[in-house]
Amino acid sequence: MKTSMNFAVINGYLIFMALLQFCKSQQGTFTVETLSPTVAGHLNGDVILPCALSPKSSAVGLEIRWVRKGLPEPVHLYINGNDNFQLQNKDYQGRTQLYSEELKNGNVSLLLKNIRLSDAANYTCSVLRTKWFGESSIELKVLATGRTPRITFDGRQGNGIGLSCMSSGWHPKPQVLWLSNVGTDLTSRSETKFEKDKDRLYSVRSNFKIEANDHDGVTCRIRGLQDTELTEARVQINADLFQTSSPWKAGFAVTFLFLLLALGLLGAAFLYWMKNRVFIAIQESEKKDEESCQETTAKLAESEKPLLEEKDMHIKHLESEITRIKKDKENLTKHRDSDIQQIKDEKDNHIRHLETEIEKSRKEEKNLKEQLGTAKSESEKLKQDCSDLHNEIKNRGYVSNQELEEMRSVRANITISQDKSSKNVKVSEEGKKVRAKTTIKLTGWDCAIANESFSAGRHYWEVNMGDIPEWRLGVTSNSDFTEEKNKTKARQYYLALKWKDKKFTAVNGEQKTELTSKQKARVIGVFLDYDKGRLSFYNLDDTSHIHTLIFTTKLPLYPLFNCVSSDKDLVILS
């Protein structure tokens, strides 16, 4: 069943394309315009694909077809004044709409809802009416604006500091810019990489080294296809972070200078004090006698003792401070070496991670190439299968559902006239059924003739034969066909399909052609295209074409029916 429907879809698509090519040769003064070669829509939003008739003319009742390149089914179909969703591609069901109130103004634009990334393609707007056809194409681009970028620090890099700017959820691939505080483009100093996620959206990571002269700030700006798709983040670095001297060296130098200064001041004060005391003793010795000089000398020696002890204490204190400073220096050196080793280890781990990612990417690339080769092989096989299916459909003469629906759209309401029919047949009161009055075998002249006749246009009717063993269907230009004495004249425009002895025979006037088809049909579809001079018969049991008769008459044609059964009705279906 699925294979049969595929046959019908492919055959219908091929017939439609052939019809388009025919109609192109019949174009009139109207054109179809899409106003712009491209239109953009945002992911998960709605977009209008503009299309209109020029000059302005009503499109009500015309056939409006929107198709996408590469798809056999239409994206949207408007025919016979209504939207036809049965033939619509399933991916677009419930997502398309024409503006019905605008059709009278020639506006045939299509509203596409809930846009997906897969909707990005080339679309063609086609408008068809009798002896006129026009079409125009437009490209749909699908956009997705990503998240606000996030800037992270990657540690010190030489004389600068590494930054990473990251964002996700973009389509198509965005542009990344690094700008200074005054708007200077610094992008050439960056390295940017893109990746696609499972939803086919782009993620971006851009690495940048900020230097001392950039301490007033830099901006990471990410811009999409349109100017409105722009988002950015800014970062500013404290200038102190760019100082390269070691803090322990500065501390040690300041402390050491302080100690030297303190020691110098203490020594100078001590010498000054000693000088004054000696000077006073000399003066006193000049005033006193030689006996008091010894007493003064003893007191002086006694007073010098605490000063010497204080001097020793200060020296010991300075030696202790020098020892503490040396230990602090050693500790700072150890911390510095530890930090350097940690940075080195992190760098080595990052390099190993990058090497792993590169190897993983190479394996994925290899797998993708293999999958691409397999897909290409399967695509070639599918093309060959489609070609074989097309040839098989063509050889078997199947009719597509679309072609059948188009014929049924011109269905004629036919009733049988008892007055015009042979006296050997019986017609029902509503004029839809006919059978033989007698069991005596009837001839081809014992026909039932319709009330209606056709002299232009296309007309279609269906007849249920059931299990009737012998019957005829067709048309005649003679309303008194059954009573006509001149048989040659009566046969002149007599066209019919006959079922007898389990085979089909085509009758065109005096000419009879036995057909190769042996498949019995319970329901027959008859399609009359008067303007093209064609009368076609279809087996509706398997929707196949039986035969087409060609005629050149300009006379009105009446449908005719011949049934040899006296207990079963030949029924014209409504």
Side-chain angles (χ1 to χ4, degrees):
M1 182 65 181
K2 185 176 181 181
T3 302
S4 177
M5 291 186 68
N6 289 335
F7 290 162
V9 170
I10 295 172
N11 193 36
Y13 176 72
L14 295 173
I15 292 174
F16 173 72
M17 294 306 295
L19 182 61
L20 293 186
Q21 294 299 321
F22 169 76
C23 291
K24 284 183 178 180
S25 64
Q26 306 294 328
Q27 289 187 4
T29 58
F30 291 91
T31 59
V32 176
E33 298 179 351
T34 50
L35 306 183
S36 173
T38 60
V39 65
H42 286 272
L43 183 66
N44 299 323
D46 300 343
V47 68
I48 296 175
L49 304 181
C51 186
L53 298 180
S54 179
K56 184 186 296 184
S57 176
S58 175
V60 177
L62 304 184
E63 179 177 329
I64 303 169
R65 183 182 297 261
W66 278 91
V67 297
R68 171 181 164 176
K69 184 177 181 180
L71 290 183
E73 306 92 347
V75 171
H76 192 96
L77 176 62
Y78 173 88
I79 189 171
N80 299 325
N82 294 292
D83 295 310
N84 188 329
F85 298 110
Q86 295 179 349
L87 301 178
Q88 185 182 30
N89 184 277
K90 65 179 182 179
D91 288 340
Y92 290 87
Q93 290 178 356
R95 299 201 295 129
T96 60
Q97 176 186 331
L98 293 177
Y99 295 92
S100 56
E101 293 299 324
E102 288 294 318
L103 293 179
K104 60 186 177 182
N105 298 322
N107 185 354
V108 294
S109 300
L110 182 69
L111 173 63
L112 180 57
K113 307 174 184 177
N114 192 19
I115 306 173
R116 307 167 182 171
L117 285 182
S118 58
D119 292 337
N122 188 278
Y123 293 81
T124 299
C125 169
S126 305
V127 181
L128 175 67
R129 72 181 183 188
T130 305
K131 295 186 178 179
W132 182 86
F133 165 76
E135 68 174 14
S136 186
S137 297
I138 188 171
E139 182 181 3
L140 172 61
K141 296 183 177 180
V142 180
L143 311 179
T145 303
R147 299 178 179 84
T148 301
R150 178 169 57 92
I151 296 179
T152 60
F153 292 87
D154 292 341
R156 184 174 295 277
Q157 297 179 1
N159 294 328
I161 298 175
L163 303 178
S164 290
C165 179
M166 294 171 285
S167 180
S168 60
W170 292 89
H171 192 276
K173 187 184 296 183
Q175 181 185 17
V176 181
L177 298 173
W178 287 89
L179 304 174
S180 69
N181 188 42
V182 295
T184 304
D185 191 348
L186 308 175
T187 310
S188 61
R189 290 162 50 187
S190 66
E191 181 181 356
T192 303
K193 295 182 180 180
F194 297 90
E195 290 184 357
K196 268 188 179 181
D197 60 18
K198 62 180 180 179
D199 297 323
R200 296 170 55 202
L201 297 176
Y202 284 97
S203 297
V204 58
R205 180 187 180 102
S206 183
N207 298 324
F208 181 84
K209 186 173 78 171
I210 185 169
E211 299 174 349
N213 56 354
D214 302 321
H215 66 84
D216 54 349
V218 293
T219 298
C220 175
R221 178 178 296 171
I222 303 181
R223 183 169 58 196
L225 190 63
Q226 294 184 335
D227 293 338
T228 57
E229 295 184 289
L230 186 145
T231 181
E232 61 183 33
R234 175 175 170 78
V235 65
Q236 186 170 356
I237 305 297
N238 192 320
D240 294 342
L241 294 179
F242 294 98
Q243 299 296 328
T244 58
S245 61
S246 300
W248 66 267
K249 291 182 179 180
F252 175 77
V254 171
T255 304
F256 186 72
L257 289 175
F258 174 77
L259 291 175
L260 290 177
L261 179 61
L263 185 61
L265 290 174
L266 184 61
F270 176 76
L271 291 175
Y272 179 77
W273 182 82
M274 288 293 293
K275 180 179 179 182
N276 287 337
R277 291 297 299 269
V278 172
F279 180 75
I280 292 172
I282 293 172
Q283 285 183 341
E284 288 179 351
S285 64
E286 290 177 353
K287 294 178 181 180
K288 297 179 179 181
D289 53 18
E290 187 175 346
E291 297 176 358
S292 63
C293 182
Q294 294 179 355
E295 183 180 357
T296 304
T297 304
K299 290 181 179 179
L300 181 61
E302 187 69 22
S303 64
E304 286 178 349
K305 185 177 180 180
L307 291 176
L308 292 173
E309 291 177 353
E310 185 178 357
K311 175 182 176 182
D312 292 338
M313 290 178 61
H314 280 289
I315 292 174
K316 291 179 179 180
H317 177 70
L318 289 175
E319 290 176 346
S320 176
E321 287 296 320
I322 292 173
T323 302
R324 184 180 64 81
I325 291 173
K326 289 181 177 180
K327 290 182 178 180
D328 290 342
K329 176 183 176 182
E330 292 176 356
N331 292 333
L332 288 173
T333 302
K334 290 180 180 178
H335 286 302
R336 182 197 63 183
D337 295 340
S338 177
D339 291 341
I340 293 174
Q341 184 62 39
Q342 182 180 357
I343 294 173
K344 183 179 179 182
D345 293 341
E346 291 177 354
K347 180 179 179 182
D348 292 340
N349 291 335
H350 186 61
I351 292 174
R352 285 194 294 270
H353 176 70
L354 290 177
E355 290 175 346
T356 303
E357 289 296 322
I358 292 172
E359 183 63 26
K360 181 180 177 182
S361 298
R362 288 175 179 173
K363 291 181 179 179
E364 291 178 351
E365 180 182 7
K366 182 179 179 182
N367 292 335
L368 287 175
K369 288 182 178 180
E370 293 176 354
Q371 293 175 6
L372 181 62
T374 302
K376 185 176 181 181
S377 176
E378 292 178 352
S379 174
E380 294 296 329
K381 184 176 181 299
L382 182 59
K383 288 181 180 179
Q384 184 60 42
D385 291 343
C386 289
S387 177
D388 296 340
L389 287 174
H390 171 66
N391 293 332
E392 184 175 353
I393 290 171
K394 184 176 180 181
N395 294 334
R396 293 188 181 186
Y398 287 108
V399 181
S400 68
N401 291 335
Q402 180 182 354
E403 186 177 3
L404 183 59
E405 289 300 321
E406 289 179 354
M407 291 190 294
R408 284 176 171 168
S409 67
V410 293
R411 185 192 292 269
N413 184 19
I414 296 176
T415 57
I416 303 173
S417 171
Q418 181 67 69
D419 296 336
K420 296 179 182 179
S421 302
S422 169
K423 60 185 179 180
N424 292 328
V425 300
K426 178 182 179 180
V427 180
S428 63
E429 292 183 0
E430 73 278 8
K432 294 292 187 179
K433 300 178 181 179
V434 62
R435 65 167 62 180
K437 285 184 178 180
T438 175
T439 57
I440 300 174
K441 187 175 182 181
L442 304 184
T443 68
W445 300 98
D446 294 313
C447 296
I449 307 298
N451 288 309
E452 296 76 20
S453 64
F454 308 109
S455 56
R458 301 185 301 164
H459 310 278
Y460 176 79
W461 58 95
E462 295 178 357
V463 186
N464 188 348
M465 306 302 178
D467 295 327
I468 299 174
E470 183 178 339
W471 48 262
R472 297 189 187 202
L473 295 177
V475 294
T476 178
S477 63
N478 194 336
S479 60
D480 297 325
F481 174 77
T482 59
E483 303 298 331
E484 179 64 54
K485 304 301 182 182
N486 186 343
K487 303 304 183 184
T488 301
K489 180 180 178 182
R491 290 194 186 97
Q492 185 174 2
Y493 296 113
Y494 170 80
L495 301 97
L497 177 68
K498 180 174 70 172
W499 173 261
K500 183 178 180 181
D501 298 333
K502 297 182 178 181
K503 62 184 179 182
F504 285 113
T505 302
V507 182
N508 191 344
E510 297 289 347
Q511 181 181 359
K512 296 182 179 181
T513 304
E514 184 175 324
L515 306 180
T516 57
S517 176
K518 302 295 183 180
Q519 180 66 37
K520 182 180 180 181
R522 297 176 63 86
V523 180
I524 296 292
V526 184
F527 182 65
L528 172 64
D529 191 337
Y530 191 97
D531 299 332
K532 293 183 179 180
R534 299 169 67 88
L535 180 67
S536 303
F537 300 90
Y538 299 90
N539 181 352
L540 299 187
D541 293 350
D542 60 0
T543 60
S544 62
H545 174 246
I546 299 174
H547 191 68
T548 296
L549 294 170
I550 308 299
F551 61 87
T552 58
T553 182
K554 299 300 180 182
L555 297 174
L557 296 177
Y558 295 83
L560 63 83
F561 311 88
N562 176 267
C563 174
V564 301
S565 176
S566 60
D567 58 352
K568 296 180 181 179
D569 292 322
L570 182 151
V571 182
I572 303 173
L573 300 178
S574 300

